[in-house]
Amino acid sequence: MTSRTLHLPVSAPDHVESFVEYASLGEAVGYDHVWLPETWGRDAVSVLTRIASETDEIGIGPSVLNVYSRSPALVGQTAATLQELSAGRLRLAVGPSGRAVIEGWHGASFDRPLRRTREFIDVVRAVLSGDVVDYDGDIFSLGGFRLRCDPPETPVPIEAAGMGPTSVELAGRFADGWHAIVFTPDGFRERMADLERGIELGGRTRGDVTTTLSLTASVHEDGEHARRRCRNHLAFYVGAMGTYYRESLARQGYEDEATAIAAAFANDDRDRVHEIVDDEMLADLAIAGTPAEAREQLARWEAIDGLDELAISFPRGATDDEVRQTIRTLGPDT
């Protein structure tokens, strides 16, 4: 059975406490886990610390920490600390992000992202073991590092984001989970073959790897308002976040649409975006509509073969009331 989790808003709320309130609401209506993206707003670690202190049962984790702006040893220390603060509720998700973010925002070279992700996972896992870390990789070399506290009693799953065939294979081979975003149901199923190949290459079993799909959702009494929110959100990801979302959509059969969306976004032509992202394409990439429509759409996504966890996320521009309504409407216990 597919579990339901929350992927908190990318757009920064007015206050840190809003994240805490969304997580608490999610816990109250039955979500299993709350994921926090880290983009250009608050840092994920500080906010997750607050969430851990104000909740009791819901799992926590970043999705994702990029593998360039922090060292893997530091992320290992951070994971050990968050696991202690949350009493064993942490899952850690990492990924390379993309060139526009890493070079444009962090001033680092977007070099060998897959190799870096693989070694990053290795080092974080070694740090969390509590043993002395002596690691000699192509990207990272460490000698003599060891936690000066007890390692976590509950092991921290280390999961990896990926959209392309090779990155998804890497998640299957080396990580404890795969995080997917901007996927159609058929696109997700196609990438499952890459994940399973990685699992086989790593000598693992399917039960060793959790699959999580982040799905944009907007619920509003005015269904067309909700659909506009999601169309604008998709346009931002395709038009402003480098080329990797565009390339992912192209692999999933939407190459012409992705190219046209990027052009329309560059020209600030929102009307054109809404024409390109028709109802069929929107239904393939989001949940959007009235409460009744959203609940009906939810069943299609939870029926995807191979999907362990559906993470409900929110479009850019969603108001506080819209986020809360979406959390409540799609809550497992609602």
Side-chain angles (χ1 to χ4, degrees), residues 39-76:
T39 49
W40 57 90
R42 280 90 176 188
D43 79 280
V45 176
S46 300
V47 178
L48 287 169
T49 300
R50 285 287 299 129
I51 290 173
S53 69
E54 296 297 327
T55 56
D56 298 313
E57 297 179 355
I58 196 167
I60 65 167
S63 180
V64 297
L65 295 183
N66 78 71
V67 297
Y68 290 88
S69 59
R70 296 178 178 89
S71 76
L74 176 59
V75 169

Side-chain angles (χ1 to χ4, degrees), residues 35-158:
W35 297 104
L36 182 66
E38 186 174 71
T39 49
W40 57 90
R42 280 90 176 188
D43 79 280
V45 176
S46 300
V47 178
L48 287 169
T49 300
R50 285 287 299 129
I51 290 173
S53 69
E54 296 297 327
T55 56
D56 298 313
E57 297 179 355
I58 196 167
I60 65 167
S63 180
V64 297
L65 295 183
N66 78 71
V67 297
Y68 290 88
S69 59
R70 296 178 178 89
S71 76
L74 176 59
V75 169
Q77 293 173 266
T78 300
T81 306
L82 282 173
Q83 189 70 315
E84 180 181 355
L85 289 169
S86 67
R89 291 182 280 149
L90 178 70
R91 288 161 59 192
L92 174 70
V94 302
S97 188
R99 188 177 302 277
V101 172
I102 300 307
E103 296 188 349
W105 297 356
H106 293 286
S109 174
F110 190 64
D111 180 53
R112 302 180 69 185
L114 296 184
R115 181 68 193 182
R116 189 180 188 96
T117 301
R118 183 259 171 94
E119 292 190 12
F120 202 95
I121 292 170
D122 287 345
V123 174
V124 173
R125 188 171 283 140
V127 169
L128 288 170
S129 74
D131 296 332
V132 175
V133 181
D134 291 307
Y135 187 87
D136 185 17
D138 294 343
I139 308 293
F140 299 106
S141 294
L142 287 78
F145 183 93
R146 185 174 185 173
L147 284 176
R148 293 191 67 185
C149 59
D150 291 335
E153 292 184 11
T154 302
V156 178
I158 306 172

Side-chain angles (χ1 to χ4, degrees), residues 316-332:
R316 296 178 76 249
T319 66
D320 180 72
D321 286 344
E322 290 168 6
V323 171
R324 290 173 186 273
Q325 181 173 18
T326 301
I327 292 173
R328 291 191 186 95
T329 299
L330 300 179

Side-chain angles (χ1 to χ4, degrees), residues 14-15 20 67 80 82 94 114 139 148 158 186 203-204 224 228 230 236 243 253 268-269 286-287 326:
D14 291 338
H15 306 284
V20 179
V67 297
L82 282 173
V94 302
L114 296 184
I139 308 293
R148 293 191 67 185
I158 306 172
D186 286 344
R204 313 167 78 197
E224 188 52 39
R228 283 196 303 271
C230 288
F236 175 81
T243 62
D268 199 25
D269 189 349
I287 289 176
T326 301

